[in-house]
Amino acid sequence: VERDFVRWLRQRLPRIGDDAAVLDWPADRLIVTSDMLMDGTDFELDRCDPQRAGRKALAVNLSDLAAMAARPMAAVVSVALPRSQRLDFAQQFYRGIFRLAEEFQVEVVGGDTNSWSGPLVVSIALLGEASGPGPLCRSGGRPGDDLLVTGQLGGSLLGHHLDFTPRVREALTLHAAYPLHAAIDISDGLSLDLSRLAEESGCGASLDLDQIPISPDAHRLAEQVPGLSALDRALGDGEDFELLLAVPPEVTRRMLDDRLVNIPLTRIGQLIAAPGLWARRSGQEPVPLEPRGYEH
Amino acid sequence: VERDFVRWLRQRLPRIGDDAAVLDWPADRLIVTSDMLMDGTDFELDRCDPQRAGRKALAVNLSDLAAMAARPMAAVVSVALPRSQRLDFAQQFYRGIFRLAEEFQVEVVGGDTNSWSGPLVVSIALLGEASGPGPLCRSGGRPGDDLLVTGQLGGSLLGHHLDFTPRVREALTLHAAYPLHAAIDISDGLSLDLSRLAEESGCGASLDLDQIPISPDAHRLAEQVPGLSALDRALGDGEDFELLLAVPPEVTRRMLDDRLVNIPLTRIGQLIAAPGLWARRSGQEPVPLEPRGYEH
């Protein structure tokens, strides 16, 4: 149902297709995004500090703005709090939001607070301002572009999905310094999000499997849970919240050498003219890769 | 808990206090609001067409912008859909949003669609642009201002709370034509929302009980449910979504005579210098009135 519905929705909402929406007013500089998180799906409040859950609710929105290279400005926070919880719980939850907001100079300007008999639900809408040459979109990639990724991928379930740092500063720095073509944040899994970026750009993509930066947690999880290798997890686990960038090949070397950002930046493949997703190991022929990840 | 928590929150969020937030950028023209609605609280999906529920989710946000005399522009819609429902249900729900959006020239620019095992939750953030001389706030009232109300009040539970027309056009028209001082939308009950407007304006208020426009549904409900009179319902029922305006006394006559809007506009009292809420019947002394309504 979910997938059919999203298809139906996309036909009606032409602007959907990026991590955030660019408004016409004022003059293509205003960016808005919104994410809803539910207890039991995006965090488990019986096992996780409410402050971390609140932090995540803002962090996923910050990651969406990072993907557009937009500067976060203001947030509105709507929450349905479980009636069974005490005052302290709600305060801790909001503290998690407020602290991250302060760190990223986001002002919480309003919202809506409710209580009910259901589990906690939070929805944050985040407004930002486009930076540099304007919003970075998924659709700007071209065949021949290099694919670069920040940080390390996979295994976020072990904690990273709650504690990740949204790549806002990195996006602003790189967008100001280099002529980036396209970006997406890896929220649903590298292969799935790459397939989206490629599709929106009217391209295919080829991944160099040997180059993918696999996180220690992906290795740890691969040991604990049989069936999926660490590489599988880097390709398909969701919630890395790293940035995937498409950049003109002539700037790749410079980007990697300049080291303008304090986190790893790795070339993992390139966009190609032929549609579809391909994967190759060094010295071997590319093989088709099925996009895999979290479908909402 | 709820009331203590909201007090705690207000200390941390200086901008909370109006129906929507006015952003500094760009130049006090951008207004944003957000409301979260939950099945079982704001509508009952086992007894109500999902289209009406979707409509309400946008309508309450439109009403918040009306209270600021802001022109609605763009919405982001985040939803948690019950996994048990069919595709058709989700489509009907969104159709309710889309139809009202079209009616009020709002573009749905994005959002987030999820499914889960809980009841339907929807959160819409609505962006608008200030009109005329700028945003209309709760705090602009002055002692001596007349209090005017649109439409009729009370008994919304019988259907009005789902099918009301947000007073966007009326707010824009009146704000353009007259020097309004303050406004609030009556979402939680006339007496409660009036006490908020008066407090934010640093005033008290006196209501002329004989002047309050009582809706036929308030009379109907008073007959069906003993204990509360039709007037009680007009004073304390929530979800009228009418506008309460504070206007300089010298323009009241003109506003009532001009009839620029096609709905009733009634003078129901005035702001006074002394704090607190008062009520009087014609020919009698004012007596203190306890604000009553829906506390979130």
Side-chain angles (χ1 to χ4, degrees):
Chain A
V1 166
E2 192 72 21
R3 209 182 298 190
D4 289 346
F5 177 62
V6 169
R7 196 175 305 129
W8 178 85
L9 212 52
R10 272 172 163 266
Q11 288 163 1
R12 271 143 199 90
L13 302 178
R15 278 179 205 251
I16 290 189
D18 271 304
D19 294 284
V22 182
L23 297 194
D24 295 333
W25 180 90
D28 289 354
R29 303 293 292 179
L30 178 62
I31 316 280
V32 59
T33 188
S34 173
D35 274 307
M36 180 177 276
L37 280 70
M38 297 96 72
D39 183 18
T41 302
D42 300 286
F43 37 72
E44 315 253 352
L45 282 168
D46 52 0
R47 295 190 296 171
C48 132
D49 179 355
Q51 199 161 321
R52 288 173 88 195
R55 183 188 182 283
K56 179 175 181 177
L58 180 58
V60 297
N61 281 286
L62 286 168
S63 185
D64 283 330
L65 285 199
M68 309 282 290
R71 186 173 294 109
M73 299 194 309
V76 286
V77 178
S78 293
V79 181
L81 294 163
R83 208 169 277 131
S84 56
Q85 289 288 0
R86 290 167 309 119
L87 175 61
D88 179 58
F89 171 89
Q91 288 173 334
Q92 288 301 324
F93 182 79
Y94 272 81
R95 274 204 188 99
I97 298 175
F98 291 159
R99 285 194 182 160
L100 194 67
E102 207 180 345
E103 198 182 320
F104 283 88
Q105 292 169 281
V106 169
E107 188 179 2
V108 178
V109 294
D112 185 25
T113 310
N114 307 277
S115 56
W116 76 328
S117 57
L120 183 140
V121 179
V122 54
S123 179
I124 296 185
L126 185 63
L127 307 185
E129 185 182 6
S131 74
L136 196 55
C137 296
R138 292 182 183 178
S139 58
R142 301 171 209 167
D145 278 357
D146 278 328
L147 294 167
L148 269 59
V149 72
T150 60
Q152 298 176 314
L153 306 178
S156 73
L157 204 62
L158 292 183
H160 179 79
H161 79 103
L162 287 168
D163 300 321
F164 69 94
T165 300
R167 300 308 191 189
V168 174
R169 296 182 196 97
E170 291 76 13
L172 293 174
T173 300
L174 296 174
H175 192 46
Y178 309 104
L180 310 181
H181 279 169
I184 191 170
D185 74 322
I186 303 174
S187 51
D188 297 334
L190 170 63
S191 59
L192 186 56
D193 286 318
L194 171 56
S195 74
R196 288 167 178 159
L197 184 146
E199 203 173 308
E200 292 284 336
S201 294
C203 304
S206 167
L207 278 177
D208 295 331
L209 296 185
D210 297 320
Q211 300 304 320
I212 291 171
I214 301 173
S215 79
D217 278 346
H219 286 291
R220 215 163 287 148
L221 215 49
E223 278 165 33
Q224 288 171 20
V225 185
L228 287 176
S229 70
L231 176 63
D232 289 336
R233 296 206 159 268
L235 286 169
D237 279 3
E239 307 211 298
D240 297 306
F241 298 107
E242 296 293 350
L243 293 179
L244 176 65
L245 305 167
V247 306
E250 61 273 19
V251 303
T252 306
R253 192 68 268 148
R254 194 149 53 88
M255 282 181 72
L256 297 179
D257 290 346
D258 289 351
R259 298 182 148 273
L260 290 189
V261 295
N262 287 325
I263 52 168
L265 202 59
T266 314
R267 184 192 172 285
I268 58 168
Q270 60 184 157
L271 293 180
I272 57 177
L277 206 55
W278 303 80
R280 62 168 191 185
R281 295 201 169 269
S282 38
Q284 295 181 14
E285 283 301 297
V287 294
L289 180 69
E290 188 63 35
R292 205 170 47 73
Y294 179 75
E295 309 250 11
H296 290 251
Chain B
V1 165
E2 193 71 23
R3 209 183 299 190
D4 289 346
F5 177 63
V6 169
R7 197 176 303 128
W8 177 85
L9 211 52
R10 272 170 163 268
Q11 289 164 3
R12 273 146 198 87
L13 302 177
R15 277 179 206 252
I16 291 190
D18 270 304
D19 293 284
V22 182
L23 298 195
D24 295 333
W25 179 90
D28 289 353
R29 302 294 293 178
L30 178 62
I31 317 279
V32 59
T33 188
S34 173
D35 274 307
M36 179 177 277
L37 280 71
M38 297 96 70
D39 182 19
T41 302
D42 300 286
F43 38 72
E44 316 253 353
L45 282 168
D46 52 1
R47 295 190 296 172
C48 134
D49 180 355
Q51 200 161 321
R52 288 173 88 194
R55 184 188 181 282
K56 180 176 181 177
L58 181 58
V60 298
N61 281 287
L62 287 167
S63 185
D64 283 330
L65 285 199
M68 309 282 290
R71 185 173 296 108
M73 299 194 310
V76 285
V77 178
S78 293
V79 181
L81 294 163
R83 209 169 277 133
S84 56
Q85 290 287 0
R86 289 168 308 120
L87 175 61
D88 179 58
F89 171 89
Q91 288 173 334
Q92 288 301 325
F93 183 80
Y94 272 82
R95 273 204 189 100
I97 298 175
F98 291 158
R99 285 196 183 159
L100 194 67
E102 206 179 347
E103 199 182 320
F104 283 89
Q105 292 168 279
V106 169
E107 189 180 0
V108 178
V109 294
D112 185 26
T113 311
N114 307 277
S115 56
W116 77 327
S117 56
L120 183 139
V121 179
V122 54
S123 179
I124 296 186
L126 185 63
L127 307 185
E129 184 182 7
S131 75
L136 196 54
C137 297
R138 293 181 183 178
S139 58
R142 301 172 208 166
D145 279 355
D146 278 328
L147 294 167
L148 268 58
V149 72
T150 61
Q152 299 175 313
L153 306 177
S156 74
L157 204 62
L158 292 183
H160 180 79
H161 78 104
L162 287 169
D163 301 321
F164 68 94
T165 300
R167 300 308 191 188
V168 173
R169 295 182 197 100
E170 291 76 12
L172 293 174
T173 300
L174 296 173
H175 192 47
Y178 309 104
L180 310 181
H181 279 170
I184 191 171
D185 74 324
I186 304 175
S187 51
D188 298 333
L190 170 62
S191 59
L192 187 57
D193 286 318
L194 171 56
S195 74
R196 288 168 179 160
L197 184 147
E199 202 173 307
E200 292 282 337
S201 294
C203 304
S206 167
L207 278 176
D208 296 331
L209 295 185
D210 298 320
Q211 301 302 319
I212 290 170
I214 301 172
S215 79
D217 279 345
H219 287 290
R220 216 163 287 147
L221 214 49
E223 279 165 32
Q224 290 172 18
V225 186
L228 288 176
S229 70
L231 176 63
D232 289 335
R233 296 206 158 269
L235 287 169
D237 279 3
E239 308 211 297
D240 297 306
F241 297 108
E242 296 292 349
L243 292 179
L244 176 65
L245 304 166
V247 307
E250 61 272 20
V251 303
T252 306
R253 193 68 267 149
R254 195 150 51 89
M255 280 182 73
L256 297 178
D257 290 346
D258 289 352
R259 298 182 147 274
L260 290 189
V261 296
N262 287 326
I263 52 169
L265 203 57
T266 315
R267 183 192 172 285
I268 58 167
Q270 58 184 158
L271 293 180
I272 57 177
L277 205 55
W278 302 80
R280 62 171 190 183
R281 296 199 168 270
S282 39
Q284 295 181 13
E285 285 301 297
V287 295
L289 179 71
E290 188 62 36
R292 206 170 45 73
Y294 179 76
E295 309 249 12
H296 291 250

